[in-house]
Amino acid sequence: MAKNDPIELNQHTITRDPLPASKKIYVEGEIHKDIRVPMREIQLTNKEKVTVYDTSGPYTDPTAEVNVRKGLEQTRRAWVIGRGDVEEYEGREVKPIDNGYTDDEKAFATHNPDLQRKPLRAKKGHNVTQLHYARKGIITPEMEYIAIRENQRRQEWLEAETSEEREKRLKGNSFGAATPDLITPEFVRDEVAKGRAIIPANINHTELEPMIIGRNFLVKINANIGNSAVTSSIEEEVEKLVWGIRWGGDTVMDLSTGKNIHATRDYILRNSPVPIGTVPIYQALEKVNGVAEDLTWEVFRDTLIEQAEQGVDYFTIHAGVLLRYVPLTANRVTGIVSRGGSIMAKWCIAHHKENFLYTHFEEICEIMKTYDVSFSLGDGLRPGSLADANDEAQFGELETLGELTKIAWKHDVQVMIEGPGHVPMHMIKENMDKQLEVCDEAPFYTLGPLTTDIAPGYDHITSGIGAAMIGWYGCAMLCYVTPKEHLGLPNRDDVKTGIITYKLAAHAADVAKGHPGARYRDDELSKARFEFRWEDQFNLGLDPDTAREFHDETLPKDSAKVAHFCSMCGPKFCSMRISQDVRDYAAEKEKIEKGMQEKSEEFKKQGGEIYVELTD
Amino acid sequence: MAKNDPIELNQHTITRDPLPASKKIYVEGEIHKDIRVPMREIQLTNKEKVTVYDTSGPYTDPTAEVNVRKGLEQTRRAWVIGRGDVEEYEGREVKPIDNGYTDDEKAFATHNPDLQRKPLRAKKGHNVTQLHYARKGIITPEMEYIAIRENQRRQEWLEAETSEEREKRLKGNSFGAATPDLITPEFVRDEVAKGRAIIPANINHTELEPMIIGRNFLVKINANIGNSAVTSSIEEEVEKLVWGIRWGGDTVMDLSTGKNIHATRDYILRNSPVPIGTVPIYQALEKVNGVAEDLTWEVFRDTLIEQAEQGVDYFTIHAGVLLRYVPLTANRVTGIVSRGGSIMAKWCIAHHKENFLYTHFEEICEIMKTYDVSFSLGDGLRPGSLADANDEAQFGELETLGELTKIAWKHDVQVMIEGPGHVPMHMIKENMDKQLEVCDEAPFYTLGPLTTDIAPGYDHITSGIGAAMIGWYGCAMLCYVTPKEHLGLPNRDDVKTGIITYKLAAHAADVAKGHPGARYRDDELSKARFEFRWEDQFNLGLDPDTAREFHDETLPKDSAKVAHFCSMCGPKFCSMRISQDVRDYAAEKEKIEKGMQEKSEEFKKQGGEIYVELTD
């Protein structure tokens, strides 16, 4: 089999600059000494430093060597091997059809031998999921890593906080979520053991920087990438990943279809510090030439193993699309809009048989626990329009996902649940409440939801509204929507816009929940704003480049960045500046009142009654 | 006094095209026969037509003659005159200082004699506010106009609706708001009489297409324009207005400062079909060279009359910034961020006197009722950061605004209340509830609120989230925020982005409230989407141009606009297309079950028990 050299990858297309005024720092573990948790430290102009969560991986560390043709350093491999419950094995042979060809030459034109690793799997009789360890009381390096990461070094400022500040910061409404001031490794373990959080971390994804998805942790966001029928090169896909995590993507789903899907996944996984999710039925469908009826359990099973060996961290599996739910969608305004959902619906009605993902669910669990792939139980019947929200089909499927959650848990397999979609604001909470109830608090992972259907071109916003709300209500991860949703494939700018929108929605949710680490960054930015520290205001924001660019459009001069006014009011009048006068006045008033109060006390002592008490 | 010709205005800069596939239609009144209410009718490719609310005025009617140097047709003048309670008078002479000059030549270089109208005022002893008429039981032409306008011809499809569709459409949570299926002129009158809605309509703004602000009507949005210290020509300001209402601005605030402020306002008012609001203290401050301490009641009063004669429909007046509240802001993270609020705070502390807007409030009411200018009681102490939300200063001022509302109502003067600002999600509802309570349901008009401070460059989104939520909870009008908020002055694209964002937030709120006219457009768009009517999908959206442009980036060919697939999945597989198979299957299943059921019944009758009942 002629396995050619990899196609030429232009290293220069990979974005490597750190974010402005930012430095990568690493915090070491205590239980597991070899842990080094990356964070981003922002240097302010007033000498202070602010630490923020960092999803961008080694790419923003100028000292890290990166070669996308070789893949990232496999830091995590030692932890996995160290547990003594895995074995290397030969693994499934890559077939031409994995890349969408029957022809060897074409199929392997994109194959890169340097990215191949011998797969690991659980030794016979072992279960290597984080849930399994958690239930056995084991704190894994992944768990300690996550505890450190979630804290963002907040122990440093928590101590300096006054009780009043603390009270203000924590005043939120968490709808039952409960995040402690400091996340301990034991807390992480406990949440995973309860199934309330997952750590998507395939043992074959050894380049991973572990993260957690659960409502007692920071709300996470997912960004989708993927070549599609229309266009895009492997090189572009890797840069899409790097670009996506640069702006805050906590996980990335590779939704590639078409040719070279296996080779693309090699590049993505070997170069990804964040968990990668896929929808394996997409590739299975490619293998049967796009004819849903021709899908079989065998093709699907083989695809699961193919992808599990590569290191995919979570699989979207539409096992809840039951035959009996399918007719319930017939009178919908927008029928079935989930690609996976419609593939399975088509298969079910063509064969008049129950969904093979449902009938083979326990076998799927066996595969999942061999590699620690997490379930993302797909909502194949999610509503595609406000009109179809919260209907019988959608909630019927959700109940089935609840059943499947319990089966997965029986196998110690980690599970999260996917949710809608298009839901008007007043119907969002019902989704969250029902999910918590029927899925026993397994993490919820929703797409949006979009709160209106009338704004094509702005669906990052229609959905950002719903995402912020459902995040507040308890959703653990928000799948981003770009401005191109419903219209076309997102380009680089669209991806960034989608991510920043979702990042702000997730943060707004954290703040509203009263997450102990959330409000800090808002306060730091507000202080910078009030003190006219323009550079700090840009750099503390989610997108320093855009903030700076917008500012410079009106006031481009460097001197304006330290000017105590801005273009909104101009130099003559500035409301912010008046506040100093107010402070002086308040101090003066307090002084006077205190003086008068003292004089009054004095007179009283002397029996006089000249001064009356000030009440104001 | 040498009043020169107006500066050259390039007519071509005014946007005049109708929106794609749209036609301006006019619906006539029944009580007042001379009423012609403009609406936008969108022609779909399937021969259907959809009517939507239209704020764009004569500019999008190709048959309307528009000359911005002459002003729009004064349709409303006959209604005002017809009431017999107004008189023309000489009016206040325009002074050089009104345009920011002491020099006549400069001051009148921008003065346009063709835009001057003899002002109208209430005859002695008369009150010409819509509230006054409403309380007397009079249905004005403005009220009937609004009733027709708010209905968007929905009587046509309401009749065709099934009871199931109706139930679905109305299922919302209105938090106490109650919009009837059809708005009658009497309903409008009643809501105005109760103070629960306002019709900002200065008798001198005779070019106005009346609209209403109240929580039992469609949620409205405001767009700000205004030249600022830095730049912009009068010509640009008029086009900004036209541009803003094209995309859905229901009212426009002219926040101009600096030179030629009076002349600019002439152009804006004479060319505006939507209500214009201002913050008169800005111009008053210009007249005293930007020195807040030098402001006097006399300068302010003169400015009110100047602007009332020009036709400004609502004034933001910061009469609630009381001396005793000012020190409460001293320990805030971001002090006082409202320009008007800080001007008054500065004045109060400089003189150690109570705010003259408060002490002269009844005199202000006298002016307001002479021209029917509505109050927009300013929230001068609104929070400028999450940290300052819902604090003592903010809520103290709100209570004073409640007192002032009652005083204004005593004079039959219309009132709405301005609200914040920066508020995390979990603290938004408290704002709405408190406002309804202390201001006796006078309409609330908020800026955002912004739900996080960490996304400069994206504050249209951080605030769009809060705006949608507070609109749902009962806020009547949402003041837009553009992507340039906190960073610089918005350009044309920013204004559009801000407006579309707020339009979608307002619509999401209408849907969530269960407004009887809201969900219709979502459903029409969703149907178009499901049926691959791409053109209709674009044209039914809030921004057809952007939707089309985004689509064409990936699939530019005209044939793709009728193609039954899109770039997201490509031609081979399409989830939407599978739905037809599902429908066929469901129909077939139903047929079979019905047949079996019949056979079963037959057998039972014959005493047989071969078929068991299907339960599935």
Side-chain angles (χ1 to χ4, degrees):
Chain A
M1 208 173 270
K3 297 194 177 182
N4 297 351
D5 275 345
I7 53 162
E8 273 305 304
L9 271 168
N10 180 357
Q11 294 293 323
H12 299 293
T13 60
I14 304 297
T15 307
R16 289 292 317 262
D17 304 325
L19 287 170
S22 296
K23 193 176 89 178
K24 180 86 70 179
I25 58 160
Y26 296 91
V27 180
E28 288 177 11
E30 288 179 14
I31 305 173
H32 301 279
K33 304 287 183 197
D34 59 337
I35 287 177
R36 290 176 77 234
V37 183
M39 299 183 188
R40 177 158 72 97
E41 188 180 78
I42 306 170
Q43 176 69 61
L44 307 187
T45 58
N46 67 355
K47 311 277 182 228
E48 285 175 25
K49 289 168 181 176
V50 171
T51 308
V52 298
Y53 197 99
D54 187 359
T55 57
S56 63
Y59 300 99
T60 52
D61 181 350
T63 69
E65 258 190 60
V66 174
N67 179 344
V68 300
R69 290 184 240 187
K70 306 273 182 193
L72 298 178
E73 205 182 323
Q74 297 187 65
T75 317
R76 197 178 152 240
R77 191 173 167 90
W79 312 346
V80 173
I81 301 286
R83 289 192 271 261
D85 52 5
V86 299
E87 60 186 13
E88 267 191 11
Y89 69 111
E90 268 314 310
R92 176 186 170 282
E93 195 183 19
V94 181
K95 303 171 198 165
I97 193 69
D98 299 347
N99 280 318
Y101 295 99
T102 44
D103 172 305
D104 266 20
E105 200 175 331
K106 281 186 189 160
F108 293 102
T110 51
H111 184 86
N112 179 355
D114 290 346
L115 294 179
Q116 307 310 310
R117 315 272 179 261
K118 245 189 186 178
L120 298 170
R121 69 179 169 202
K123 284 182 185 162
K124 214 172 165 68
H126 284 269
N127 183 328
V128 295
T129 71
Q130 295 288 323
L131 175 53
H132 183 73
Y133 302 133
R135 283 180 169 172
K136 286 171 75 176
I138 297 166
I139 292 174
T140 63
E142 289 84 349
M143 294 171 195
E144 188 187 13
Y145 190 104
I146 284 162
I148 296 169
R149 194 172 196 185
E150 290 277 324
N151 286 332
Q152 301 169 74
R153 294 209 294 189
R154 67 172 169 268
Q155 41 276 63
E156 292 178 10
W157 55 261
L158 275 176
E159 285 166 21
E161 201 176 38
T162 67
S163 61
E164 199 193 330
E165 282 169 343
R166 183 183 145 79
E167 197 194 328
K168 234 177 166 178
R169 176 174 57 76
L170 291 177
K171 200 172 75 179
N173 179 356
S174 68
F175 296 102
T179 307
D181 260 14
L182 279 177
I183 306 283
T184 61
E186 169 56 22
F187 181 77
V188 173
R189 189 206 58 73
D190 190 52
E191 289 288 300
V192 172
K194 288 187 171 117
R196 205 145 63 185
I198 66 167
I199 300 173
N202 185 321
I203 52 169
N204 288 309
H205 190 188
T206 48
E207 303 81 1
L208 186 74
E209 295 177 353
M211 55 78 71
I212 196 161
I213 302 166
R215 75 183 167 120
N216 289 328
F217 300 92
L218 291 161
V219 175
K220 304 302 188 298
I221 71 159
N222 171 69
N224 296 329
I225 58 172
N227 67 339
S228 174
V230 183
T231 181
S232 95
S233 73
I234 293 182
E235 185 179 0
E236 278 175 58
E237 291 311 307
V238 177
E239 170 58 11
K240 272 190 214 166
L241 161 77
V242 174
W243 186 246
I245 62 178
R246 177 179 181 81
W247 299 113
D250 291 288
T251 78
V252 165
M253 288 194 79
D254 173 14
L255 304 182
S256 294
T257 55
K259 302 299 179 193
N260 303 317
I261 198 169
H262 183 98
T264 304
R265 199 181 304 117
D266 274 342
Y267 275 92
I268 288 174
L269 275 161
R270 299 289 73 79
N271 289 293
S272 177
V274 304
I276 298 296
T278 62
V279 188
I281 202 84
Y282 292 178
Q283 189 181 9
L285 188 70
E286 296 289 339
K287 292 180 181 174
V288 295
N289 288 310
V291 182
E293 303 87 292
D294 293 351
L295 282 166
T296 61
W297 161 241
E298 288 68 30
V299 169
F300 185 76
R301 185 182 180 285
D302 184 55
T303 306
L304 287 189
I305 291 170
E306 173 190 348
Q307 298 196 9
E309 287 181 350
Q310 283 182 291
V312 172
D313 301 286
Y314 62 90
F315 287 153
T316 293
I317 295 193
H318 299 93
V321 180
L322 301 191
L323 181 62
R324 68 173 182 271
Y325 299 144
V326 176
L328 299 179
T329 66
N331 294 320
R332 279 180 161 187
V333 169
T334 46
I336 300 176
V337 294
S338 147
R339 243 200 293 189
S342 59
I343 293 167
M344 294 321 299
K346 176 90 182 175
W347 189 92
C348 289
I349 61 178
H351 295 279
H352 196 74
K353 270 191 184 166
E354 194 50 278
N355 183 337
F356 64 78
L357 302 173
Y358 181 79
T359 54
H360 290 272
F361 194 74
E362 303 232 19
E363 288 161 85
I364 298 173
C365 289
E366 293 294 339
I367 298 169
M368 305 299 260
K369 68 191 185 194
T370 304
Y371 304 94
D372 196 10
V373 184
S374 298
F375 274 112
S376 185
L377 292 176
D379 57 334
L381 304 180
R382 68 165 175 269
S385 57
L386 299 194
D388 297 338
N390 296 17
D391 72 355
E392 218 185 332
Q394 185 199 329
F395 281 158
E397 182 187 30
L398 182 59
E399 280 178 29
T400 300
L401 300 185
E403 284 169 39
L404 296 174
T405 299
K406 289 175 196 68
I407 296 172
W409 282 350
K410 197 182 68 184
H411 291 268
D412 286 354
V413 173
Q414 304 189 90
V415 186
M416 64 180 165
I417 311 291
E418 295 186 8
H422 293 239
V423 185
M425 283 193 284
H426 65 290
M427 293 166 82
I428 292 176
K429 192 151 186 302
E430 187 184 1
N431 275 275
M432 190 67 232
D433 293 346
K434 204 174 169 67
Q435 189 274 339
L436 286 174
E437 185 202 322
V438 305
C439 301
D440 293 275
E441 297 192 78
F444 205 22
Y445 164 33
T446 60
L447 177 80
L450 287 76
T451 56
T452 164
D453 300 333
I454 68 164
Y458 299 81
D459 278 332
H460 58 307
I461 307 179
T462 68
S463 69
I465 294 168
M469 292 174 71
I470 204 159
W472 173 26
Y473 299 150
C475 187
M477 186 157 79
L478 310 170
C479 181
Y480 91 158
V481 169
T482 77
K484 289 278 167 62
E485 183 78 11
H486 298 117
L487 297 170
L489 294 173
N491 61 25
R492 192 174 168 86
D493 288 341
D494 298 321
V495 165
K496 181 175 171 184
T497 302
I499 290 175
I500 303 284
T501 302
Y502 270 66
K503 211 70 192 164
L504 72 84
H507 184 78
D510 285 332
V511 167
K513 285 166 79 175
H515 186 290
R519 254 274 309 282
Y520 177 66
R521 190 166 174 184
D522 297 88
D523 294 353
E524 287 298 323
L525 196 143
S526 295
K527 276 182 230 162
R529 182 171 280 158
F530 192 63
E531 291 168 11
F532 291 98
R533 287 185 273 117
W534 287 100
E535 287 291 342
D536 296 345
Q537 193 187 146
F538 306 150
N539 296 337
L540 283 164
L542 292 176
D543 178 1
D545 301 344
T546 298
R548 180 174 287 104
E549 188 190 311
F550 282 2
H551 174 269
D552 290 359
E553 268 180 40
T554 330
L555 284 175
K557 289 209 194 87
D558 265 357
S559 61
K561 303 248 183 21
V562 289
H564 275 210
F565 67 90
C566 58
S567 60
M568 281 81 84
C569 299
K572 201 161 63 175
F573 178 79
C574 167
S575 61
M576 292 276 196
R577 223 165 37 178
I578 285 181
S579 296
Q580 196 47 51
D581 299 333
V582 170
R583 286 183 185 172
D584 296 344
Y585 171 77
E588 185 62 20
K589 188 166 171 269
E590 202 180 336
K591 212 170 104 194
I592 292 170
E593 282 173 7
K594 198 158 163 275
M596 290 175 88
Q597 188 71 27
E598 279 164 9
K599 275 250 188 290
S600 168
E601 297 293 332
E602 205 177 300
F603 263 81
K604 272 191 207 159
K605 277 183 202 146
Q606 298 168 3
E609 283 296 342
I610 294 172
Y611 289 95
V612 292
E613 305 237 0
L614 283 168
T615 53
D616 192 57
Chain B
M1 205 172 271
K3 298 195 175 177
N4 298 351
D5 277 345
I7 53 160
E8 274 305 304
L9 270 167
N10 181 357
Q11 294 292 323
H12 300 293
T13 60
I14 304 298
T15 307
R16 287 292 317 263
D17 304 327
L19 287 169
S22 296
K23 194 176 85 177
K24 179 86 73 178
I25 59 160
Y26 295 92
V27 179
E28 289 177 11
E30 286 180 14
I31 306 172
H32 300 280
K33 304 288 183 194
D34 59 337
I35 287 176
R36 291 176 75 233
V37 183
M39 298 182 188
R40 177 157 71 98
E41 188 180 79
I42 305 171
Q43 177 69 60
L44 307 186
T45 57
N46 67 355
K47 311 279 181 227
E48 284 174 27
K49 289 169 181 174
V50 172
T51 308
V52 297
Y53 197 99
D54 188 358
T55 57
S56 63
Y59 299 98
T60 52
D61 182 351
T63 69
E65 260 188 57
V66 173
N67 179 343
V68 298
R69 291 183 238 184
K70 305 276 182 190
L72 297 178
E73 206 181 324
Q74 297 187 65
T75 317
R76 197 178 151 239
R77 190 171 166 89
W79 313 346
V80 174
I81 301 287
R83 290 192 269 263
D85 52 5
V86 299
E87 60 185 11
E88 266 191 12
Y89 69 112
E90 267 315 309
R92 175 186 171 283
E93 197 183 15
V94 181
K95 302 171 198 165
I97 194 69
D98 299 347
N99 281 320
Y101 294 99
T102 44
D103 171 306
D104 266 23
E105 202 175 329
K106 280 187 190 157
F108 293 103
T110 51
H111 183 85
N112 178 354
D114 290 346
L115 294 179
Q116 308 309 312
R117 316 272 180 262
K118 249 189 183 177
L120 298 170
R121 69 179 170 204
K123 284 181 187 163
K124 214 171 164 66
H126 284 268
N127 182 327
V128 296
T129 71
Q130 295 287 325
L131 175 53
H132 184 72
Y133 302 133
R135 283 178 168 174
K136 285 172 73 176
I138 297 167
I139 293 173
T140 62
E142 288 84 351
M143 294 171 196
E144 189 188 10
Y145 189 104
I146 284 162
I148 295 168
R149 194 172 196 185
E150 289 276 326
N151 285 332
Q152 300 170 75
R153 292 210 297 191
R154 69 172 168 267
Q155 40 277 65
E156 290 177 12
W157 54 261
L158 276 176
E159 285 166 22
E161 199 175 40
T162 66
S163 61
E164 198 193 331
E165 282 169 343
R166 183 183 145 78
E167 198 194 328
K168 233 175 166 179
R169 175 173 56 77
L170 291 177
K171 200 171 75 179
N173 179 356
S174 68
F175 296 102
T179 307
D181 260 15
L182 280 177
I183 306 283
T184 61
E186 170 56 21
F187 181 78
V188 174
R189 188 206 58 73
D190 190 53
E191 289 288 300
V192 172
K194 288 184 170 121
R196 203 144 65 186
I198 67 166
I199 300 173
N202 184 322
I203 54 170
N204 288 309
H205 190 189
T206 48
E207 302 82 359
L208 185 73
E209 296 177 352
M211 55 76 72
I212 195 161
I213 300 165
R215 76 182 165 122
N216 290 327
F217 300 93
L218 291 161
V219 174
K220 303 302 189 298
I221 70 159
N222 172 70
N224 296 329
I225 59 174
N227 68 337
S228 174
V230 183
T231 179
S232 97
S233 73
I234 293 183
E235 185 179 3
E236 278 175 56
E237 291 311 307
V238 177
E239 171 57 12
K240 273 189 214 166
L241 162 78
V242 173
W243 185 247
I245 61 178
R246 177 181 182 81
W247 299 113
D250 291 289
T251 77
V252 165
M253 289 195 79
D254 174 15
L255 304 183
S256 295
T257 56
K259 302 298 178 194
N260 303 316
I261 198 170
H262 184 98
T264 305
R265 200 182 304 117
D266 273 343
Y267 276 92
I268 288 173
L269 275 161
R270 298 291 73 78
N271 289 294
S272 176
V274 304
I276 298 295
T278 62
V279 188
I281 202 83
Y282 291 179
Q283 190 181 10
L285 188 71
E286 296 289 338
K287 292 179 182 176
V288 295
N289 289 310
V291 182
E293 304 86 294
D294 292 352
L295 281 166
T296 61
W297 160 242
E298 289 68 30
V299 169
F300 185 75
R301 184 183 181 283
D302 184 54
T303 306
L304 287 189
I305 290 170
E306 173 190 347
Q307 297 196 9
E309 287 181 349
Q310 284 183 293
V312 173
D313 301 286
Y314 63 90
F315 287 152
T316 292
I317 295 193
H318 299 92
V321 180
L322 301 191
L323 182 60
R324 69 173 182 271
Y325 299 144
V326 175
L328 299 179
T329 66
N331 294 321
R332 278 180 162 186
V333 169
T334 46
I336 300 178
V337 294
S338 148
R339 245 201 291 187
S342 58
I343 294 167
M344 294 320 300
K346 176 90 181 173
W347 189 92
C348 289
I349 61 179
H351 297 278
H352 196 70
K353 270 192 184 165
E354 193 50 279
N355 183 337
F356 64 79
L357 302 172
Y358 182 78
T359 55
H360 290 271
F361 194 73
E362 303 232 17
E363 288 161 85
I364 298 174
C365 290
E366 292 295 338
I367 297 168
M368 304 299 259
K369 68 191 187 196
T370 305
Y371 304 95
D372 196 10
V373 184
S374 299
F375 274 113
S376 185
L377 291 176
D379 56 335
L381 304 180
R382 68 166 176 269
S385 57
L386 299 194
D388 297 339
N390 297 16
D391 72 355
E392 219 187 332
Q394 185 200 329
F395 282 159
E397 181 187 31
L398 182 58
E399 278 176 30
T400 300
L401 300 185
E403 283 170 38
L404 296 173
T405 299
K406 289 174 194 68
I407 296 171
W409 282 351
K410 196 183 70 185
H411 290 270
D412 287 354
V413 173
Q414 305 188 88
V415 186
M416 62 180 168
I417 310 292
E418 294 186 8
H422 293 239
V423 185
M425 283 193 285
H426 65 290
M427 292 166 82
I428 293 176
K429 191 153 187 298
E430 186 183 3
N431 275 274
M432 190 67 233
D433 293 346
K434 203 170 168 67
Q435 189 275 339
L436 286 174
E437 184 201 324
V438 304
C439 301
D440 293 276
E441 297 192 80
F444 205 22
Y445 165 33
T446 61
L447 178 80
L450 286 76
T451 55
T452 165
D453 300 333
I454 68 164
Y458 299 81
D459 278 333
H460 58 307
I461 306 180
T462 67
S463 69
I465 293 168
M469 291 174 72
I470 204 161
W472 174 26
Y473 299 150
C475 187
M477 188 156 78
L478 310 170
C479 182
Y480 91 157
V481 170
T482 76
K484 289 277 167 61
E485 184 78 12
H486 299 116
L487 298 169
L489 294 172
N491 62 24
R492 192 176 169 85
D493 287 341
D494 298 321
V495 165
K496 181 175 170 183
T497 302
I499 290 175
I500 302 283
T501 302
Y502 271 66
K503 211 67 193 167
L504 71 85
H507 184 78
D510 285 331
V511 167
K513 286 166 79 176
H515 186 291
R519 253 274 309 281
Y520 178 66
R521 191 168 173 182
D522 297 87
D523 294 353
E524 288 297 323
L525 197 144
S526 294
K527 276 182 230 162
R529 182 171 281 160
F530 192 64
E531 292 168 9
F532 290 98
R533 287 185 274 117
W534 287 100
E535 287 291 342
D536 296 345
Q537 192 186 146
F538 305 151
N539 296 337
L540 283 163
L542 291 177
D543 179 0
D545 300 344
T546 298
R548 180 173 289 103
E549 188 190 310
F550 281 2
H551 174 269
D552 290 359
E553 266 180 41
T554 331
L555 285 175
K557 290 209 193 85
D558 264 357
S559 62
K561 302 248 183 23
V562 289
H564 276 207
F565 67 92
C566 57
S567 59
M568 280 82 82
C569 301
K572 203 160 66 176
F573 178 78
C574 167
S575 62
M576 292 277 196
R577 222 167 37 179
I578 285 181
S579 295
Q580 195 47 52
D581 299 333
V582 171
R583 285 186 186 170
D584 295 345
Y585 171 76
E588 184 64 21
K589 186 164 173 270
E590 201 180 336
K591 213 170 104 194
I592 292 169
E593 282 173 9
K594 198 158 163 276
M596 290 175 89
Q597 188 71 26
E598 277 164 12
K599 275 250 188 292
S600 166
E601 298 293 330
E602 206 178 303
F603 264 85
K604 274 192 205 161
K605 274 184 206 148
Q606 295 167 5
E609 284 294 341
I610 295 171
Y611 290 96
V612 291
E613 304 237 358
L614 285 170
T615 54
D616 191 62

